[in-house]
Amino acid sequence: MNQAYRLPEGGCIDRSSTLSFRFNGRHLGGHPGDSLASALLAHGIHFVGRSFRFHRPRGIFSAGEEEPCALVEIGRGAGRTPTCRAPAVALSEGLEARSQNCWPSLHTDLARIFDYSHRLWPAGFYNKTFKWPSWNVWEGLVRHAAGMGLCPTEADPDHYEQVHAHCDLLVCGGGPAGLLSSLMAARAGMRVIVVEQDRQLGGHLLRENIHLDGKPASAWVREVEQELRSLPRVTVLTDTTMAGSYDHNVTTLLQRGHETAWRECLWTVRPRHVLLASGAIEQGLIFRNNDRPGTMLAGAARGYLNQYAVAAGNRLVIACNNDSAYQTARNYSEQGRKIVAIIDSRKQPGNDAKTLLGQLDVPLFTSARISNTHGSKRIRQVSVQTLEGKSIGHFGCDLLAVSGGWAPRVHLLCHARGALRFDDKLQCFLPDRLPAGFSVTGAVAGVTGLSATFASAADQVKAISAGLGFKAHPVHQPLVTQTALEASSVEVPPLVSSRYRQWIDLAHDVTLTDAELAVREGFAPVEHFKRYTTTGMSVDQGKTGNLNAFLALSKLTGCPVGEIGTTTFRPPYMPVTLGALAGRDTGANYAPKRFLPAHQVHCALATTGDSEGSSPFGDYGGWQRPDYYPLPGETPQSSIEREVRAVRAALGIFDNSPIGKIEVRGADAAEFLNRMYINKVTNLAPGRSRYGLMLNEQGIIMDDGVFTCLDEDHYLVNTTSAGVAHVLRHFERWLQCEWPELNVLVDDVTTQWANFT
C-alpha cells in the first residue's frame, strides 16, 4: 500500500493512523481526513471510470461536488450506493469502491465500441433513430444502456432523520467569507446556522498555501470554528449540502452522518435571512481530447497538494486563461515537482503572475493553446500551438492542469428566483437582482482577493444586522500575509472547430461538434440547446460544463453571452436520496393507522366469527373501522344481515368520528366562513347548526357538511372524512394569500372530537 504520490508532511490529514480500503478489488490505504479521490491519487491512480455515452476512459477531474467523471459505486448488497463522486466520498476503514458503467472491467470495456463508431451517434440521434419501425422495437435496448449505475434491489437498511429549524441568519459556505460573516452575526446575538458541504470548515483556505496574521490559514479557521461551536445560538453543520431554496426563504439541507445511528438527515430551515458565501467552481478548457485521465482542474491539483498532501503528478503542464493557475505552478515547484510549461491563451499574464514567473524557472507560452493530448489511459504528452494554429511543440507530462476561469455557485440564488448578469471581465454570470431576504458575499458575488472578501463579508453582515434589528459586532479581519493568485481577469480563447472531438460537457459526452450541429438544426435558444445536446443534464448538472457551453453558443451564434442567458437551475443542488426525503415515514409510519376514540369498545364487540375467521376491521381513509360485529357462529354476511334487521326494527348507533372537524376562531370567523360557504353564516346564533355547501373558484362543489356556532368567535366546521385535509389547505391558502387582514385561526381537530349518530 505504498502511497508514492503522498508528500512526507503537510495536509489536513491524520498520519498517525492508516485506513485500508479497496478499489476494484485492489487493497489500498489512506489516512483519516482523506477523500476517496485523494487516496487514489496518492497511489497514482487517475483512471477510475468510463464516460456515459461513449465509455471513454475518464479520470479524477475536480476536488469537490462538481466532479463530472470520477463516479463510482460504494459498498455492497443492501448498502450499495451507485454514482458517488469520488472527491466527495470520505475515506473510511473497510470502504469498498468500484468503477461503474463498464463491462467486463474498467480496463477492458466492450461498450467502447460506441466511441469507435461515434459518427453514428451525434447529438439528438435518439430523436431521429428510434422512430422506425416503432419505439417498442428499441425500448428494451435503450433502457438497458441508459443510466450510469445500477439501483439497489434490496431494502435500504439505513436509518434517516428529519429536522425542522428556525434561525436569524443561514450562512451557506464555510470558507473565509462564510466564517467571518458567521462570527460577526453570532457576536451580534443572532441565531446562526453555518452550512459547509465539506467535512472541514475553511473552504479554499485549506486548498491554498495562504497565511493570515503570519500563521497558516488553517490556524485561523480552527480558532473561528472553536468559538462558533462554543456559542449556544450557533449551529455548525459540516458535511452538509444546501440542497434547495424555496418561497419565503425556506431552505433544505442534506446532512451526512458519520459514526451516527442515521445515515442522512434532511433539515428544513426557515431563516429570516440567507447569506450565500458559496464560492465559485473552476471551469475547464475546450481542446481536442481534453477528457483524457490526467487532465485536472488547476485548482483541484492545488487542493490535493495543500489539503491532502498528495501530488497529482510529477511533471506538469499548466494551461490557463487567468492568473489563478499560476499558483499551481508555485505550489508544485515548492514541492520539487517539474513544471514543464505554462500555456496561457492571453497575450500577457497579470502583474502578480509575471512577478511569480520571475521566481520560477518555467517556460511560458502566451497567445497559445493546447491542441491535443496523447496517451492511452493516462496523459503522457500534450501538443501546443499558437492561437493562429501554428505548432509550437510537444511536451511530455503526467498531469495537465487546466483553468478556464471560475463560475460562481449561483444555483441556490436562482432557486429563489434571483436574476443574473454576465460580467465581461470575469467571463461568468454574477448575481444581479437578489430575492427578498438574500445576500451574497465573496467569490459568488464576483469579489476577488482575500482582503476584499473579508471586507465584503463584514459589509454584508452590517447591512443584515441593521435589517434584522441587531447591532453589528466588529470582528478582527485577519491580515493577509501570504495569499494566492486570483482570477482577476479572464480571456476566453477562440474556438477551433475541427473534425476532432473537443468536449464541452464531460459528464454527458457533449462535444463542440454537437453544439455546432444543434445551432445548424435550429436549436440555438439556450433551453433548446440544453435538451438537444443534453448539456448540463447529467449528475453534475453542468457545474463544470455549462459556462463553456454558453460561451461556445455565443461564439457559434454571434449573440452576446449575456443575451444567451443561462438554463434554469432547479433544486436540488446535489442529489437527495429518497430515504432522506422519507425520513421516518416508512413501513408502518408511511400511512399510520388511525383509531376511533371508542376503538377499545369496538374491539370488545367485534369478536371474530367462527365461520371464516376474518377480521371485521377495514381501512377507511386510514381509519380502522369495523364492518360488522359477529357473534359466535356467525359469518360476516349473516352478522351484517342481523344488524340490518335490528336497525330497521329498533335502533342503531353509528360511530362517525372520522368525519372532518375544523375549528375556526377569531373576531372575523363568521365573515370568513360567510365567504367560504354559499350559505349565510353571520346570522347563525350560538348553539345552532346549519348545513353548508362549499364551492371552489370555478363554482364546482368541493365539500359539504354541517357547521356549528359555538360562540360569537368560535365555529366548528364538519367536512367529509376524506376532504378535511383539502378543506384545511383551502382555508389556509385564502387566509394567508388572499385575506391576510382577517383575524382568523383554523385548526384540524378531527381526532379531538368523537361523533355518534
Side-chain angles (χ1 to χ4, degrees), residues 104-134:
S105 69
L106 175 64
H107 289 271
T108 305
D109 183 8
L110 296 182
R112 184 73 189 277
I113 190 166
F114 288 108
D115 187 32
Y116 301 132
S117 59
H118 67 269
R119 295 186 185 279
L120 300 176
W121 324 108
F125 75 93
Y126 32 79
N127 294 320
K128 309 169 184 176
T129 306
F130 304 119
K131 292 184 177 181
W132 183 89
S134 72

Side-chain angles (χ1 to χ4, degrees), residues 579-590:
L581 294 174
R584 295 189 179 190
D585 296 336
T586 60
N589 292 333
Y590 176 71

Side-chain angles (χ1 to χ4, degrees), residues 167-186 190-197 201 228 234-238 240-242 251 253 269 271-279 412 437-441 457 460-461 464 468:
C167 64
D168 296 308
L169 181 64
L170 174 64
V171 180
C172 176
L179 286 177
L180 188 72
S181 301
S182 302
L183 190 58
M184 286 187 64
M190 297 187 201
R191 293 173 301 164
V192 180
I193 295 179
V194 189
V195 180
E196 170 54 50
Q197 66 181 359
L201 294 176
L228 288 174
V234 176
T235 302
V236 178
L237 300 176
T238 54
T240 302
T241 299
M242 190 168 168
T251 305
L253 316 174
V269 183
R272 296 176 63 191
H273 202 94
V274 178
L275 177 61
L276 291 183
S278 48
L412 295 161
F438 264 77
S439 299
V440 294
T441 186
Q460 290 295 334
V461 175
I464 294 169
L468 297 181

Side-chain angles (χ1 to χ4, degrees), residues 615-632:
S615 171
F617 282 91
D619 187 292
Y620 295 90
W623 291 91
Q624 305 305 301
R625 303 177 67 173
D627 293 320
Y628 51 90
Y629 300 109
L631 296 176

Side-chain angles (χ1 to χ4, degrees), residues 37 108 189 208 246-247 277 321 446 462 548 581 600 640:
T108 305
E208 308 283 0
Y246 305 90
D247 294 344
N321 63 5
K462 290 177 183 176
N548 276 331
L581 294 174
Q600 297 303 323
I640 293 172

Side-chain angles (χ1 to χ4, degrees), residues 21-26 28 40 45 47-48 72 97-99:
F21 70 101
R22 288 198 299 172
F23 179 67
N24 288 339
R26 179 181 172 187
L28 302 168
L40 291 173
I45 299 174
F47 176 30
V48 297
V72 297
R98 292 171 300 281
S99 300

